[in-house]
Amino acid sequence: MPVSGIVSRPTYEALAIDPAGRRHLFVADHAFEPDPGVFAALPSEAPVELWRALAEARVGSGAGPRANALARDFRSTTQLLDALAYRLERERVGLRLYAVGLESFVWDVARLARGLGMDSSEYRLSHVGSNRRRVYCVHCRAITENVATNVVACSGCGANLFVRDHFSRRLAAFMGFQIDAEAPGEVPPIEEAFP
Amino acid sequence: MSGADHLPLRVRETEMISPLLKRFVFEAADGGELPPAGAGAHLRLTLEGEGRRWKNAYSIVSAPADRSHLSIIVRRVSPSRGGSAFLHEAVHPGAVVAAHEPGNLFPMSHIARKHLMVSGGIGLTPFLSYLEAIEATGADFELRHFCRDEEIPIFERILSGFDAGRITIHPASAPFDLSQALASQPLGTHLYTCGPEALMGLVLAAARDHGWPASKLHSESFGGAHAGGLPFTAILKKSGLKVAVRDDQTLLEAIEEAGLEPDCLCRGGACGVCLTSVLEGEPDHRDHFLEGAESASNRSIMICVSRAKTQNIVLDL
Ligand code: FES
């Protein structure tokens, strides 16, 4: 188990519920509909909630993944993460949290959960959707979102960043290093690397 | 880990807290500073009685930051031939006792946002040092202590210096129910339990039932709790010794009495240091270290707490 803050690309397992939990909260950055089979291991009375950030607000659309599940929709992941922080501050031991979505989103959730006292045995991350990366510029520390290419112009300093496979769990981002520092303008062919 | 007891301690004072509980305050025999001991640490004393020697571990109850002295509380347990009885009767202020550097197998979590402690009887002792540490940092906590009804006033007195609003003393005669406490802890709470095996078993099972992950559960069983059982004989193959293990001593104590110094640390079946190969015979496992399959194979034994089911057991020592 690596212990440094920067580890190589994380791996994810298929979404599975932890029946040891007393309450279960799913958070997703898209219109996620869990497969009903996911809940097979749970007693029917175990509380389940599903929170989703949807592109266009359909707040209150409310059809849960199963009869007693509570669904709550948000206008954006920012709003969802805000509500999640408020909720976790008031939560009690026994909760299990499941984050489903882009890597940047699930690690934002993990960072929030850790900050509020949960550890990795209490949350599970499931990466679905595109492989686009959130890139952290090691030079100016700006974040560039939704990066699909191996080289990207930093949103902060404009440097041509090469997107490494090194992922920081603390920043929920991949590291980007200036590729043409020695010979400005000398950039390798830009390819779509993270569809 | 060396088995050397290089730390001579002088008894500065003793205090009878109750007919069964005695507090010992030690200082370095050379008058200097004592080695650091974090909250939850224990002190291992080598006690030389007449024709007998014990190595008993006691939780340190004094404030971890204070290097001028170390205190322990010793419960006098039957049989009266034990090391604790020896401490009660024969170790007086001024006496010098050999000790090992404090060890810690029950440290507090550094990332916990709250500490929930559940103790039974003398199992309160490690939490006294926790409470001292908590007082210094202002961390959030809750303490649930279980004891025999008639001992409630004694434990109230021991705990009187700490925030009474966060301490509950439960009489052992009342039904065991921690549901409310276990269901209402904020995320980031760590649970620690120390006391009789039966109590710790109930606490840990109830916590798991309330969805607590293993990573937030901590327990410590103390040495002496394991002593006792039927006598048997240990045959030490490498040393060519035949050691009779009496009913009132542990296998490790008997081996030490025979002059050997096998590696050990916690003496409570938790750390794994004393693991020894079994060549013949069937162990009576009493440790918390061996995994199910390892334990069932009967090829290893934790000699600090486990005994033998067979009349003879042959060890690779
Ligand atoms: S000395 Fe620690 S398990 Fe035996």
Side-chain angles (χ1 to χ4, degrees), chain B residues 123-160:
Chain B
L124 174 68
T125 49
F127 298 142
L128 294 173
S129 69
Y130 277 36
L131 289 170
E132 297 280 358
I134 285 169
E135 196 149 83
T137 61
D140 195 4
F141 79 95
E142 193 175 324
L143 170 68
R144 304 283 183 147
H145 182 64
F146 291 80
C147 65
R148 290 208 295 268
D149 300 33
E150 66 275 17
E151 290 191 310
I152 290 178
I154 297 162
F155 284 107
E156 275 173 353
R157 220 177 319 130
I158 293 176
L159 288 164
S160 62

Side-chain angles (χ1 to χ4, degrees), chain B residues 44 105 252 263-275 287-289 301-305:
Chain B
R44 232 172 93 197
L105 295 158
L252 176 59
D263 283 342
C264 61
L265 179 62
C266 70
R267 303 178 80 93
C271 72
V273 170
C274 70
L275 185 120
D287 63 279
H288 305 274
F289 179 79
I301 184 171
M302 311 313 297
I303 54 174
C304 61
V305 293

Side-chain angles (χ1 to χ4, degrees), chain A residues 73-92:
Chain A
D73 292 338
F74 296 85
R75 305 178 72 92
S76 66
T77 53
T78 315
Q79 194 195 21
L80 186 154
L81 291 171
D82 247 17
L84 183 61
Y86 181 88
R87 167 67 174 272
L88 295 184
E89 271 160 22
R90 285 154 189 80
E91 260 295 344
R92 288 147 291 131

Side-chain angles (χ1 to χ4, degrees), chain B residues 32-93:
Chain B
E33 239 189 12
L34 288 160
H42 64 267
L43 192 61
R44 232 172 93 197
L45 303 175
T46 303
L47 303 165
E48 307 276 359
E50 240 168 79
R52 271 219 63 178
R53 192 157 76 129
W54 301 272
K55 290 196 170 190
N56 287 14
Y58 299 96
S59 293
I60 295 168
V61 300
S62 42
D66 187 343
R67 307 267 297 268
S68 68
H69 72 280
L70 290 171
S71 306
I72 59 172
I73 295 177
V74 179
R75 179 191 278 272
R76 197 191 154 124
V77 283
S78 44
S80 54
R81 286 172 291 170
S84 293
F86 174 79
L87 267 168
H88 266 252
E89 283 156 19
V91 178
H92 304 291

Side-chain angles (χ1 to χ4, degrees), chain A residues 20-22 88 91-96 115-119 121-122, chain B residues 113 182-189 208-213 215-216:
Chain A
R22 271 298 185 95
L88 295 184
E91 260 295 344
R92 288 147 291 131
V93 178
L95 177 77
R96 293 296 183 279
L116 292 168
M118 300 183 88
D119 68 33
S121 56
E122 297 170 289
Chain B
R113 290 158 58 92
L182 292 170
S184 61
Q185 299 302 326
L187 290 177
T189 307
R208 280 189 288 265
D209 202 42
H210 282 84
W212 287 67
S215 53
K216 290 183 167 167

Side-chain angles (χ1 to χ4, degrees), chain B residues 60-314:
Chain B
I60 295 168
V61 300
S62 42
D66 187 343
R67 307 267 297 268
S68 68
H69 72 280
L70 290 171
S71 306
I72 59 172
I73 295 177
V74 179
R75 179 191 278 272
R76 197 191 154 124
V77 283
S78 44
S80 54
R81 286 172 291 170
S84 293
F86 174 79
L87 267 168
H88 266 252
E89 283 156 19
V91 178
H92 304 291
V96 173
V97 176
H100 292 247
E101 300 253 321
N104 198 349
L105 295 158
F106 197 42
M108 298 175 80
S109 160
H110 289 297
I111 53 166
R113 290 158 58 92
K114 178 174 175 183
H115 306 280
L116 171 63
M117 299 162 259
V118 184
S119 51
I122 193 70
L124 174 68
T125 49
F127 298 142
L128 294 173
S129 69
Y130 277 36
L131 289 170
E132 297 280 358
I134 285 169
E135 196 149 83
T137 61
D140 195 4
F141 79 95
E142 193 175 324
L143 170 68
R144 304 283 183 147
H145 182 64
F146 291 80
C147 65
R148 290 208 295 268
D149 300 33
E150 66 275 17
E151 290 191 310
I152 290 178
I154 297 162
F155 284 107
E156 275 173 353
R157 220 177 319 130
I158 293 176
L159 288 164
S160 62
F162 304 103
D163 184 350
R166 303 200 239 181
I167 297 176
T168 312
I169 300 187
H170 299 259
S173 63
F176 174 87
D177 185 5
L178 275 182
S179 305
Q180 220 265 316
L182 292 170
S184 61
Q185 299 302 326
L187 290 177
T189 307
H190 280 243
L191 182 149
Y192 312 83
T193 181
C194 182
E197 293 292 324
L199 175 75
M200 293 197 298
L202 286 173
V203 172
L204 296 174
R208 280 189 288 265
D209 202 42
H210 282 84
W212 287 67
S215 53
K216 290 183 167 167
L217 301 177
H218 314 274
S219 61
E220 179 171 76
S221 45
F222 27 76
H226 303 272
L230 292 177
F232 61 97
T233 303
I235 297 159
L236 313 182
K237 189 80 174 284
K238 280 196 274 192
S239 351
L241 289 173
K242 215 171 176 176
V243 176
V245 184
R246 293 191 310 267
D247 55 354
D248 67 334
Q249 64 180 170
T250 65
L251 172 53
L252 176 59
E253 284 170 348
I255 293 171
E256 285 173 342
E257 233 174 63
L260 258 57
E261 297 235 317
D263 283 342
C264 61
L265 179 62
C266 70
R267 303 178 80 93
C271 72
V273 170
C274 70
L275 185 120
T276 302
S277 297
V278 176
L279 304 173
E280 255 172 68
E282 192 185 337
D284 172 6
H285 297 289
R286 300 184 178 189
D287 63 279
H288 305 274
F289 179 79
L290 294 173
E291 299 291 332
E294 234 181 334
S295 184
S297 78
N298 285 340
R299 288 171 50 196
S300 307
I301 184 171
M302 311 313 297
I303 54 174
C304 61
V305 293
S306 299
R307 306 180 69 85
K309 283 186 182 159
T310 40
Q311 186 49 51
N312 291 316
I313 190 162
V314 184

